[in-house]
Amino acid sequence: MSKDKDFEALCTRGAVYGLGLEECRSVDEMMGRTPREVELAVIGAMWSEHCSYKTSRKWLSRLPGGGEEVVCGPGENAGVVSIGGGYGVAFKIESHNHPSVIEPYQGAATGVGGILRDVFTMGARPIALLNSLWFGGGGDEKTSSRMSGVVRGIGGYGNSIGVPTVAGETGFHDAYRDNIVMNAMAVGLVKLEELKLSQAGGVGNVVVYVGGSTGRDGVKGAVMASAGFEDGDEFERTTVQVADPFCGKRLLEACMEVVKEEGLVAMQDMGAAGLTSSSVEMSDKGGVGMELWLDCVPLREGDMQPHEIMLSESQERMLLVVEPDSLLRVCEIFRRHDLEAVEVGCVREGGDLRLLWEGEEVGCLPLSPLASLSPLYDRERKERPSVDSGYEGGSGGRSVEEVLKGLLGGIDLCSRREVWEQYDRFVGGRLLSEEGGDAGVLDIRECGKGLAVSLDSKPRYGAVDARSGGRAVVCEVWRNLVSVGSRPLALTDNLNAGNPEDPYVMHDFVETIEGMREASLVLGLSFVSGNVSLYNETEGRSIPPTPVVGGVGILEDVTKRVSHGGACEGWVVMSVGVRGSHLGASLYAHYCSGERGWGKVGRPPYGAESDILRERVYGEGVRRLIEGGVIGSCHDVGDGGMLVALVEMLLASGRGAELDVGEEDYGDHGFWFGEDGGRYVVMGADEGLLREGLEGEGLAYEVLGIVKGRELVLKFGAKGISLEELQFCVEGGLEQEVGWHEGF
Amino acid sequence: MTLQGRIGIVVFPGSNRERDVAYALEVSGYGGESIFLDPNDEEVPEGVELVVLPGGFSYGDYLRSGVIAKVSPLMGGIRRYAAGGGYVVGICNGFQILLESGLLEGGLVGNVGGRFVCRYVGLKVEGGGFFGDFYGAGERVYWPVAHGEGRFVADEETLEVLESEGRVVLRYDELGGVNGSMNGIAGIVNRGGNVLGVMPHPENAVGKERGYSDGLRFFEFLLSLMKVRI
């Protein structure tokens, strides 16, 4: 009887830390006694969705992770790929969706700070930031102010710490009205011999705490990010951390010095669940025990309890394992950067994490069971009943030109200038690419190469068919990297989804992964790092599956890169790839039907695996022709189809074009606006060479016309649209559509 | 101590374009090594012929740009260095610090529009011939800006003095400027012509690759000021 009562009490206490009934049973089994408060807190955090990936772990392993150039795969602070010359690129993506809803500025800023630390904790100097943002459909103040806060927060951190934000995307849809998506990716450059891992080791080595002091901010942040929002949750401000980019900058510079120190065994950022996850992960990976002296941790508030210290997510902190001989030198480096470095524990034999307060044990957790008993769910999945939207197509009588102008000025395609102008793109002096291009291109002068980076999502497709959406997003990143002339190297992903306890959501989640798996296998790319953000739901409304995928590509010769701009008068304009026809779930379909709701206008492309194979063939061919100098300007065909890609190229070049398509083509809206995959618009000086090259690669193409003047003419004799008019459509859309303007 | 070079770049905690400046000097033909100066030192080291205060967010710039950097020990040394005729150049945050320190006149406050702004801007080189043969009078150049507090302000008298003495060397070439600066001012010099402050970033316009390489000549000009060519 009393045993039952004890268990009941455990469940009540466990619930405070997000532990469910089954999980409390595991706690009982693991501890064999009544757990103390701090122990429950540590277990709750480690077994939260955020830290344990208990829902997704089973499925994440489906994503390919290895590869010739992969130095570090998933499981480290960031993934690392070799780019030759003794250098590597470390990169990872992270979400800060929940905090950015509650406190947009701080949520976004700390998201950027956190992902930067993941990269520089490995000894890599961050050289680029990217972000993917999804907000509500616009028109309401909530969306405007959130967007303003998030954009300012990203700039506030990145600009100050001095890492350029070089690419990204900002999308709007009602599906994100209550749960926004804020994903940030960081890319760092590392001399491979200076690469640092997070594996603790060496009994007797010292555990050093570095950085800002520990406060109550972010306590239970990992638990918060593992649940949906209910009414009133927006006021849970104490779960959001506060950013200090100046401290982050000092930490960055100090860490860059410290990684050169021989006696530094391991280093890890205190991210989600702070001291808890860093100490547990470092010792578990190294197969050693650890002792932490909590009374030595620098505190912002004197009366903090052990469980609060273990759970705090105060920013700009690192945990280091250092050989005793190096301790003084390491501490001196941090002190020079005006950072506190304190000895807070040691590496021990055995497999326990011992927590002490003034020499007295306040908690002791067995590390191996903490990992092995970590919950693993195979949640119920159920396929959504297929809805035949009955989409018939048709433009509602609009001409091609009318549709084009409507699309360009619409919320999905209009210029994001007002967003990205708030990000410093130039600091570091590496950016080579033009704004608005397919991928950011960075000068890696250390080894004479170029690095292309891109970040994308395709929830419009995923909302209809999760698997197609998963395939499409990987293919989009591939095309973006190819379009600048780079060879894609590897990927990182952030899977944003709703409440996984909803079988439909869970089904979509798995389908998304399967789609991404298929595409990455065919394209020969692996995922070297990643993150999952579940429970993006409010009062039962989940966001659609929103996988955000980032990629890096290498340019062996940076002078051979191209952009979507730079076309010259007289150049030939060609479309490469199958003839466009797929209008289901396209921007065209949404625009012409007036239906904003995703999933209501037919099925997306990438319905078959063969679509991916074509993607590979065309991507490789186009890249070779760029490398060979035959293609002078290139843009992939994505949202809005071929004509939109073409116009974006003309605007970037400041030139018009005279196309000469047949009457039948002119009237075929699938030809202009279809979103079939594996396609590019290319321009070049020498039509003969282009034809020869494309035929040599066995790629289908169509000559559309030539670059000419300052008007776009679609067929012989048709009325042209001036560049100015096209530009006018693209600019100003954000203000009109989102109600976002100066002052916000 | 033997010096590695003769150009000193001050690295305040929070500076973030010091390497950009060093790189720009390098591609502009500077063969020496740039030395990074510690703001906690009292004096500019012997033999340094040019001091650059780079962009960034010195000491976090949480209060007001440059207000903490102003009281760092090295700024005292830089004042003495400038008083002795030494060349001092401040870019962006460096310009803000020079103004806060009183080495240049006027102030830089929050942009009109209230936002950080990063883009290439057209700039007009003013006619005073300050840049010698490196930039022609009235020439239009493109450098990027990246700042939240770049609106140049000054009282009427100061403005009048700056203009009449031909000490405005660079102006934003668009109506109202990118940030609302008075008279479109983007760069000024002191009366002695040895302390220069510019808001845009020439160090990020030195890539012949990128199309904009207008910043190269700015650094070539700086190198020409040095007594001994390397």
Side-chain angles (χ1 to χ4, degrees), chain A residues 165-238:
Chain A
T165 300
V166 302
E169 53 161 15
T170 306
F172 303 91
H173 195 271
D174 276 339
Y176 303 96
R177 204 193 60 185
D178 297 314
N179 288 87
I180 66 174
V181 168
M182 186 281 160
N183 289 180
M185 169 177 165
V187 183
L189 184 66
V190 61
K191 228 185 226 171
L192 286 174
E193 59 182 39
E194 286 174 8
L195 185 67
K196 274 289 165 215
L197 303 182
S198 61
Q199 182 179 326
V203 171
N205 280 344
V206 186
V207 177
V208 180
Y209 170 111
V210 173
S213 52
T214 295
R216 287 201 167 90
D217 47 334
V219 169
K220 286 167 71 184
V223 177
M224 176 269 292
S226 305
F229 287 121
E230 301 293 337
D231 217 8
D233 276 4
E234 284 194 38
F235 302 102
E236 275 202 33
R237 292 245 155 82
T238 54

Side-chain angles (χ1 to χ4, degrees), chain B residues 109-211:
Chain B
V109 296
N111 298 344
V112 162
R115 283 188 196 158
F116 188 96
V117 60
C118 175
R119 67 164 179 253
Y120 269 93
V121 294
L123 297 157
K124 203 172 101 201
V125 176
E126 279 300 332
F130 177 73
F131 293 106
D133 296 336
F134 291 90
Y135 291 113
E139 190 180 339
R140 197 167 202 254
V141 297
Y142 289 90
W143 298 353
V145 292
H147 59 243
E149 298 180 8
R151 173 157 58 107
F152 185 86
V153 292
D155 57 52
E156 228 167 274
E157 197 181 328
T158 309
L159 217 51
E160 168 65 32
V161 168
L162 284 173
E163 294 287 3
S164 65
E165 294 179 1
R167 292 202 275 125
V168 175
V169 295
L170 210 55
R171 236 185 268 278
Y172 297 107
D173 194 19
E174 54 184 281
L175 201 63
V178 66
N179 49 31
S181 284
M182 284 182 166
N183 294 15
I185 290 173
I188 57 172
V189 289
N190 69 344
R191 208 161 266 162
N194 64 322
V195 179
L196 168 66
V198 295
M199 205 56 209
H201 293 282
E203 73 275 26
N204 290 146
V206 295
K208 294 172 185 103
E209 269 291 315
R210 173 70 178 65

Side-chain angles (χ1 to χ4, degrees), chain B residues 33-64:
Chain B
E33 206 171 310
S34 302
I35 55 169
F36 292 121
L37 306 182
D38 184 339
N40 292 315
D41 289 345
E42 299 280 338
E43 298 295 337
V44 175
E46 195 82 15
V48 166
E49 284 188 41
L50 172 70
V51 172
V52 181
L53 280 65
F57 289 69
S58 53
Y59 299 93
D61 273 349
Y62 288 131
L63 274 176
R64 189 173 76 227

Side-chain angles (χ1 to χ4, degrees), chain A residues 107-386:
Chain A
T110 52
V112 171
I115 194 62
L116 285 171
R117 280 195 303 283
D118 276 340
V119 163
F120 72 70
T121 192
M122 304 195 75
R125 179 174 282 280
I127 56 170
L129 283 164
L130 301 90
N131 59 70
S132 169
L133 311 175
W134 281 96
F135 298 102
D140 58 308
E141 197 152 315
K142 209 183 205 177
T143 293
S144 298
S145 70
R146 274 184 191 163
M147 178 175 169
S148 165
V150 166
V151 171
R152 276 171 191 272
I154 291 170
Y157 204 101
N159 299 348
S160 178
I161 200 169
V163 179
T165 300
V166 302
E169 53 161 15
T170 306
F172 303 91
H173 195 271
D174 276 339
Y176 303 96
R177 204 193 60 185
D178 297 314
N179 288 87
I180 66 174
V181 168
M182 186 281 160
N183 289 180
M185 169 177 165
V187 183
L189 184 66
V190 61
K191 228 185 226 171
L192 286 174
E193 59 182 39
E194 286 174 8
L195 185 67
K196 274 289 165 215
L197 303 182
S198 61
Q199 182 179 326
V203 171
N205 280 344
V206 186
V207 177
V208 180
Y209 170 111
V210 173
S213 52
T214 295
R216 287 201 167 90
D217 47 334
V219 169
K220 286 167 71 184
V223 177
M224 176 269 292
S226 305
F229 287 121
E230 301 293 337
D231 217 8
D233 276 4
E234 284 194 38
F235 302 102
E236 275 202 33
R237 292 245 155 82
T238 54
T239 51
V240 182
Q241 317 88 313
V242 181
D244 179 357
F246 177 48
C247 185
K249 170 70 171 165
R250 288 175 354 245
L251 195 57
L252 160 64
E253 296 303 332
C255 287
M256 289 296 102
E257 283 183 42
V258 154
V259 291
K260 296 191 188 343
E261 188 64 45
E262 289 265 333
L264 174 68
V265 178
M267 180 153 73
Q268 177 148 341
D269 157 46
M270 288 192 228
L275 200 47
T276 292
S277 64
S278 52
S279 60
V280 169
E281 282 168 20
M282 286 173 95
S283 43
D284 187 44
K285 271 184 207 158
V288 291
M290 194 178 276
E291 192 171 288
L292 290 179
W293 315 323
L294 298 181
D295 53 304
C296 297
V297 173
L299 299 181
R300 210 178 299 156
E301 295 155 87
D303 60 343
M304 285 178 70
Q305 298 299 307
H307 71 272
E308 291 176 310
I309 296 171
M310 287 303 288
L311 291 189
S312 163
E313 291 187 9
S314 291
Q315 293 289 292
E316 342 293 354
R317 302 179 304 160
M318 293 276 193
L319 202 63
L320 281 62
V321 173
V322 177
E323 287 171 8
D325 292 348
S326 300
L327 181 63
L328 277 179
R329 277 197 305 278
V330 165
C331 289
E332 174 52 28
I333 291 173
F334 286 107
R335 219 159 284 143
R336 249 192 299 113
H337 289 275
D338 208 12
L339 290 164
E340 216 164 350
V342 199
E343 200 178 336
V344 294
C346 61
V347 176
R348 289 164 31 103
E349 278 183 54
D352 293 336
L353 174 68
R354 285 188 75 211
L355 306 172
L356 306 179
W357 186 269
E358 290 177 352
E360 221 163 282
E361 186 181 287
V362 293
C364 184
L365 293 140
L367 286 163
S368 162
L370 192 58
S372 64
L373 287 179
S374 170
L376 178 62
Y377 295 149
D378 185 358
R379 294 196 191 271
E380 190 193 345
R381 287 168 284 141
K382 206 167 152 193
E383 193 173 347
R384 278 175 210 282
S386 173

